[in-house]
Amino acid sequence: MESESEREIVLGKNVHTTCLAVTEPEANDEFTGDKEAYMAGVLARYRKTLVERTKHHLGYPYNLDFDYGALGQLQHFSINNLGDPFIESNYGVHSRQFEVGVLDWFARLWEIEKDEYWGYITNCGTEGNLHGILVGREVFPDGILYASKESHYSVFKAARMYRMECVKVDTLMSGEIDCADFKVKLLAHKDKPAIINVNIGTTVKGAVDDLDLVIQTLEKSGFKHDRFYIHCDGALFGLMMPFVKRAPKVSFKKPIGSVSVSGHKFVGCPMPCGVQITRMEHINALSRNVEYLASRDATIMGSRNGHAPLFLWYTLNRKGYKGFQKEVQKCLRNAHYLKDRLRGVGISAMLNELSSTVVFERPQDEEFVRKWQLACQGNIAHVVVMPSVNIDKLDDFLNELVEHRSTWYEGGKAQAPCIAADIGTENCCCSLHK
Amino acid sequence: MESESEREIVLGKNVHTTCLAVTEPEANDEFTGDKEAYMAGVLARYRKTLVERTKHHLGYPYNLDFDYGALGQLQHFSINNLGDPFIESNYGVHSRQFEVGVLDWFARLWEIEKDEYWGYITNCGTEGNLHGILVGREVFPDGILYASKESHYSVFKAARMYRMECVKVDTLMSGEIDCADFKVKLLAHKDKPAIINVNIGTTVKGAVDDLDLVIQTLEKSGFKHDRFYIHCDGALFGLMMPFVKRAPKVSFKKPIGSVSVSGHKFVGCPMPCGVQITRMEHINALSRNVEYLASRDATIMGSRNGHAPLFLWYTLNRKGYKGFQKEVQKCLRNAHYLKDRLRGVGISAMLNELSSTVVFERPQDEEFVRKWQLACQGNIAHVVVMPSVNIDKLDDFLNELVEHRSTWYEGGKAQAPCIAADIGTENCCCSLHK
């Protein structure tokens, strides 16, 4: 009963995927147990791969260290928080009581009163961005979307989906939005309201846009508070920043419209999920558009994973603010350790002050990149130091990198490329800049 | 450590939600074990509610009968099928090999070759509709969206999100699209291409739009195949219909653009999910829009639940086409049983020929509606007979309904309302029509 077959799909570039075909059960399967045994075998092999892949993972901002054993008993139920978290549907197998508990926790974190926010637990960071930008567009139907060019691609996807005019803003070397360029672009479009995506941690460099400076720039360019809408994309760092000393604050006391954060990133969760919080007034405005809602549903998805709130509720309760604070500090410490050691052995590397994302020269060997599952872009790669990444793992990685590197650059005879254009001369260790 | 508090959110109508607050752990929690004990208590109580709510569920098209015990071991992993199913990202903890196996199974079901389709496993039926309609719009940027007024609300949500012109088409008493009205509306907009949402089972009445007649109507109205795009919303029934004798076929051999189906409905799954299949040529067209993709990602969500493919793969392998066929037949048989018994005791009821959704007079008592989790609209309610709904459950429900009904209508002195306008005179048992 061999059913692993290779297939080829051409989409942009050839990629082979080893696919596990679904096969029709045979008449006597129940009697022989062959199929059951085959499937158990496939799953056991798969589990082994997952263990190995989890062990060597460094590139994506996912906390892979969690234990939800206590929630295993709930996998038997089809839990669906259909529609609005605050309005029960007739479907009784839901987890709204946990969902709202989690939302309240985030509302407190981002300083908005219980009766002034609306939100829900999403399927991922992208859904948060899609929702935040949609709310912005409904508030300002002719608004222009501004986002730095280092914003997550879901922001530009949203602009296209929603048929919005979108203006890309330049970035500084750090990856932060360049507010001088932002101002120029605002002034060129003064006639239309502004919808701004602010990055609380960019995807590649972990750069945090200066929210206060963004607001100041808007004000100085003549945009009153009723002429702009700010969505904060806090995918990873939205949950870390509150616990970093001296970090600027994401707060609804400032004139922002929405904040989203991923649940599977810093918290850690078996499947992607996220939290989206916006102001009740905006949702009430949406709700008046009966045509749009057709039910009292202001979410993007109709059916919603009811297990995700349980995972988040469980972790937030166990760790609490203090637990997260400890973990954030550990991550920042370990990220500094990694950056210092990279630079110590002469490898170009950058670490933004508020971030745990260490950017460095892209390894020359794709096999090495795949093994450590590094995210790469052009000449750079990054490691995101998460709670599941400890010093031992970083040492293993560093030792292996140094070893391979001496082959790539023939023990110093060949030269590592200059990446000053990506991370700045002060962070570059190429022969010109070191 | 009491943390159940009631809060009230006003959104359309007052609803109280009992929310389980997240509380900060106390310093000595790890020592005393109090928090752990509190949480275990909450979860045990919650589990009991889920058992009870699952037992009494009749109104939503979810198969609540599944056993994924063999997959419990995988809950420790953060499985994420980032982006495209056919293109591996660097994140190694994924389940694409299972996802593509599941997609191939559906491609075979809907008769499209492996190298001619593209698809992915979505978060729910809504995401399928959002994707199908978006693909339609990208193929025909100035196309008009046509959908019967009994289409799922996500279709109209999509029109608004995507800023598309949308024309609502009338329905027949059965809930099917009225192709005479469709023709009138097509002829009134002959200058623009048509994007059509075809319902393979409407939400309320389980009505199946006649795909062949829709295509004929388009052709007769002068729309050539390169002037229309059909998306088939097969949420529930897309997976049942292939196994119903004499049912019209959903097939890519006909000029359709995409089909979506839910995974948590007929298959059964702990969390919502779905399958979306479209033609490769449409996705290739999208992929050329680099701006839109920014990565090779033609999905709506970027991060994707990697557990859902595992659940689907597991069930498809175990049940196979034959297993689904048996279950579909059982559901249709039980649905007929329910309709016949309702009518037998003088309760207005309707059952579409190809459907397992039994529509009947709305019970007068909201408590009763909530207990059995019936979906209601206006004067009608429905029960969707799924594999988890057996004769015993239906008998319990019927006996209770008959008992309550004699109170509502004082043993025959008061009269049950006429619902002929909703389900037709031949199905109505009111004093005028019986």
Side-chain angles (χ1 to χ4, degrees), chain A residues 31 194 225:
Chain A
F31 180 69
H225 288 193

Side-chain angles (χ1 to χ4, degrees), chain A residues 47-207:
Chain A
R47 194 181 179 286
K48 242 182 121 177
T49 319
L50 292 179
V51 169
E52 188 278 325
R53 298 279 66 203
T54 296
K55 194 174 142 199
H56 287 108
H57 175 264
L58 283 180
Y60 290 79
Y62 309 146
N63 180 6
L64 304 184
D65 187 14
F66 50 75
D67 178 4
Y68 291 118
L71 301 177
Q73 52 174 328
L74 304 178
Q75 202 184 268
H76 293 290
F77 301 99
S78 180
I79 313 181
N80 188 337
N81 292 351
L82 277 176
D84 198 292
F86 300 101
I87 299 171
E88 280 196 68
S89 74
N90 278 350
Y91 184 59
V93 189
H94 67 78
S95 63
R96 280 180 179 74
Q97 61 275 47
F98 296 90
E99 182 175 21
V100 174
V102 170
L103 293 173
D104 281 352
W105 190 91
F106 279 92
R108 189 150 51 101
L109 187 70
W110 295 325
E111 305 186 311
I112 183 165
E113 293 298 319
K114 284 186 186 183
D115 57 354
E116 286 177 8
Y117 86 84
W118 182 89
Y120 72 106
I121 293 185
T122 60
N123 287 296
C124 58
T126 290
E127 188 176 352
N129 288 343
L130 290 181
H131 194 273
I133 293 168
L134 182 62
V135 169
R137 193 199 70 177
E138 296 300 290
V139 173
F140 297 121
D142 64 337
I144 292 176
L145 178 62
Y146 297 85
S148 91
K149 63 180 187 187
E150 299 199 30
S151 302
H152 190 253
Y153 68 84
S154 60
V155 172
F156 305 108
K157 178 151 83 172
R160 175 144 180 151
M161 274 172 70
Y162 300 152
R163 292 185 156 165
M164 296 168 75
E165 195 179 336
C166 178
V167 173
K168 276 193 191 181
V169 181
D170 286 344
T171 46
L172 307 174
M173 185 60 76
S174 65
E176 282 170 69
I177 190 167
D178 176 353
C179 279
D181 185 58
F182 181 41
K183 191 172 180 183
V184 171
K185 283 167 178 163
L186 278 172
L187 292 175
H189 301 91
K190 277 198 75 165
D191 54 322
K192 288 191 179 161
I195 297 159
I196 308 100
N197 177 73
V198 167
N199 297 307
I200 309 302
T202 58
T203 315
V204 176
K205 292 181 178 172

